[in-house]
Amino acid sequence: MQNLSDLENTLIGACSGVSTISALQWLVYLKNARQQNLPYTLDIRVLYRGYTANAISQAGVTCVQFGTNSVMKKLLTGGKIRPLSVSEELVAGFAAGVTSSLLCSPMELVMIQQQIKQGLLWNQFTSLVRQGNIYRGFLTTSMREGVFAMGYLGITPVVRRSLRENYGDSLGRSEDSARFLGAIAGATVGVAVSHPVDTVKTCMQGDIERIRYKGTIQSFSQVVAEHGLIGVYRGGFWRWSMVVAATFLLDKAGVALSHSFFPSRFA
């Protein structure tokens, strides 16, 4: 939101991230379970195992993504408030995602380890630090987050605005209908491009002992050897569903909270 300062955008991002993951943590478990061949369950205690680590992660990640996106937009526009080009929106979003992976990668690792082994958040975190594994899967996380943020911070708002301006009597009849279609567009592109590296990341972070999955290239080859090329898209449906919902909620929450917290900026 160009009307807000960088600090204000980070606050909106943190609040949006926590509210979104609180609603969607169960989809995160189902996606991870499919990628690692873990059993499905309807037990809410299992579906929300690792929630605290993920909520902390998402608060920080969306905080960084909203803030970095704001900084990048100001750099690209020279500080002027003007509509950004599509390429500028995408560049700002991608940069925001890559930056956020510095926080996202270790916290997702802790969450995945909790989902597999249970245990307390702090104990898992300190154990991973002592082992030197805390940034295992960082490269694949940064690639995934870059594409994901490009989708929800770049593609989704561009599609939403285009539908409202050009198809206001049909597809863009309401803000939410345009937002939902924008979320589908952003999620479909983002998941299609980034899900293979997300699958590799999840497998690597689930196997910190490096029994089956070692480095990034070897892990990709291992998944393909065991399941074929389609194997890198395991859990794709669950992740696509999660990303559509998350993109819709993040975009809606970002706009709603901005107007609620800082009404004078939109008077």
Side-chain angles (χ1 to χ4, degrees), residues 36 109 112-113 116-117 136 201-209 213:
Q36 299 175 89
L109 174 60
I112 287 172
Q113 285 298 302
I116 296 173
K117 301 175 182 177
R136 178 161 169 77
K201 177 206 79 75
T202 302
C203 291
M204 289 178 64
Q205 291 187 330
D207 182 21
I208 57 169
E209 295 82 10
Y213 303 105

Side-chain angles (χ1 to χ4, degrees), residues 1 64-74 89 92-93 96 153:
M1 276 66 75
V64 171
Q65 288 177 348
F66 274 53
T68 304
N69 191 55
S70 175
V71 170
M72 286 298 300
K73 286 181 175 180
K74 287 181 173 64
E89 294 268 18
L153 291 172

